[in-house]
Amino acid sequence: MTDTSNIREHMEVIGADGVHLGTVDKIEGDRIKLTKADSGAQIEGATGSHEGHHHYVSIGLIADVEGDKVRLSATAANAFMFIEEK
C-alpha cells in the first residue's frame, strides 16, 4: 500500500502525463477525496456529468508524491475512468 502520510489538502493530483485531474480535499480510507471545485474538470476523452459533488481516486493509482503534486500511474484520461463517487 502507498504511504499517504505526505499527501496534504490542496495538493494537485496529476496523471502520468502531467495533466491535472483534481485537487486533494483529504484522504478517506484507501482513497483520495477530491475537492468539489474540480468535479467538472474537462479531461480529454472523458464523458459524463460529474459536477457538483466529490469524487474519489484509489490510492492504488498513486505512483509518487512529488513536492506539492500527487502523480498517478495512469494518464489523467485513464485515471478518470477509475474515479469513484461516494
Side-chain angles (χ1 to χ4, degrees):
M1 181 177 274
T2 302
D3 178 15
T4 59
S5 64
N6 291 329
I7 300 175
R8 300 173 314 281
E9 184 179 8
H10 303 299
M11 291 180 86
E12 182 179 19
V13 179
I14 59 172
D17 51 0
V19 174
H20 177 86
L21 183 68
T23 305
V24 174
D25 186 4
K26 63 182 173 180
I27 298 290
E28 284 189 358
D30 62 351
R31 304 185 302 175
I32 298 173
K33 181 178 183 180
L34 302 176
T35 62
K36 283 185 186 179
D38 285 322
S39 65
Q42 296 299 313
I43 297 171
E44 188 174 333
T47 59
S49 175
H50 287 278
E51 295 184 42
H53 53 272
H54 290 283
H55 293 96
Y56 300 83
V57 176
S58 170
I59 61 171
L61 288 175
I62 298 171
D64 198 14
V65 178
E66 307 167 344
D68 63 347
K69 297 182 189 313
V70 178
R71 181 175 296 275
L72 303 178
S73 58
T75 64
N78 287 340
F80 187 82
M81 303 301 279
F82 294 102
I83 284 183
E84 302 169 6
E85 298 181 18
K86 272 283 182 201

